[in-house]
């Protein structure tokens, strides 16, 4: 069985590949990602392992809660220095392309954490 960090790396890289497929070339590799971004992926994996039947929307709400605790807020462009993110909205308000990222993350965690 893979560790939480290994699953988070695969999730991160799957997300990066998906982002590139929709024209978003802003995502760094796992190795180049800042610590806050790697930690966020690990927290997401932990949430999805602990809540395997939760919908993808719950994964987003967990991410939103984590970002709120860390001082992030809505901003039209992702800016780590200002702690602003365009996905800092409810799941229902996310564009479909962004909702797919939550579904992809959840699917990868499910596939790699299954015994």
């Amino acid at each position: 069985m893979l560790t939480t960090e290994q699953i988070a790396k695969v999730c991160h890289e799957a997300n990066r590949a998906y982002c590139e497929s929709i024209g978003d070339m802003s995502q760094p590799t796992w190795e180049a990602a800042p610590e806050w971004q790697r930690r966020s992926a690990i927290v997401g994996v932990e949430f999805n392992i602990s809540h395997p039947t939760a919908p993808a929307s719950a994964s987003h709400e967990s991410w939103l809660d984590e970002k709120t605790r860390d001082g992030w807020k809505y901003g039209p462009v992702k800016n780590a220095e200002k702690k602003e993110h365009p996905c800092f909205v409810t799941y229902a308000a996310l564009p479909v392309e962004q909702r797919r990222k939550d579904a992809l993350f959840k699917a990868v965690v499910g596939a790699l954490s299954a015994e």
Side-chain angles (χ1 to χ4, degrees):
M1 188 159 167
L2 297 175
T3 67
T4 301
E5 185 169 347
Q6 289 169 321
I7 296 170
K9 179 180 179 179
V10 175
C11 288
H12 177 87
E13 291 299 336
N15 178 67
R16 186 169 72 84
Y18 172 72
C19 286
E20 288 180 3
S21 78
I22 60 172
D24 176 1
M25 308 305 271
S26 69
Q27 299 300 315
T29 64
W30 178 260
E31 290 77 14
E35 178 60 30
W36 65 263
Q37 194 171 36
R38 290 192 307 270
R39 181 72 195 133
S40 182
I42 290 168
V43 169
V45 169
E46 291 169 344
F47 174 83
N48 281 285
I49 288 173
S50 296
H51 303 88
T53 61
S57 60
S59 183
H60 177 73
E61 296 303 327
S62 174
W63 174 86
L64 201 53
D65 289 345
E66 174 200 355
K67 290 292 183 221
T68 299
R69 284 190 302 276
D70 288 344
W72 286 69
K73 60 186 180 283
Y74 174 81
V77 176
K78 184 176 172 181
N79 184 322
E81 289 180 17
K82 292 182 178 180
K83 292 189 172 186
E84 294 179 346
H85 203 296
C87 293
F88 198 85
V89 296
T90 65
Y91 184 79
L94 286 173
V96 68
E97 296 84 14
Q98 298 302 316
R99 284 184 269 157
R100 287 183 182 139
K101 288 167 48 175
D102 290 307
L104 176 62
F105 193 99
K106 182 167 185 53
V108 171
V109 172
L112 298 180
S113 64
E115 293 185 49

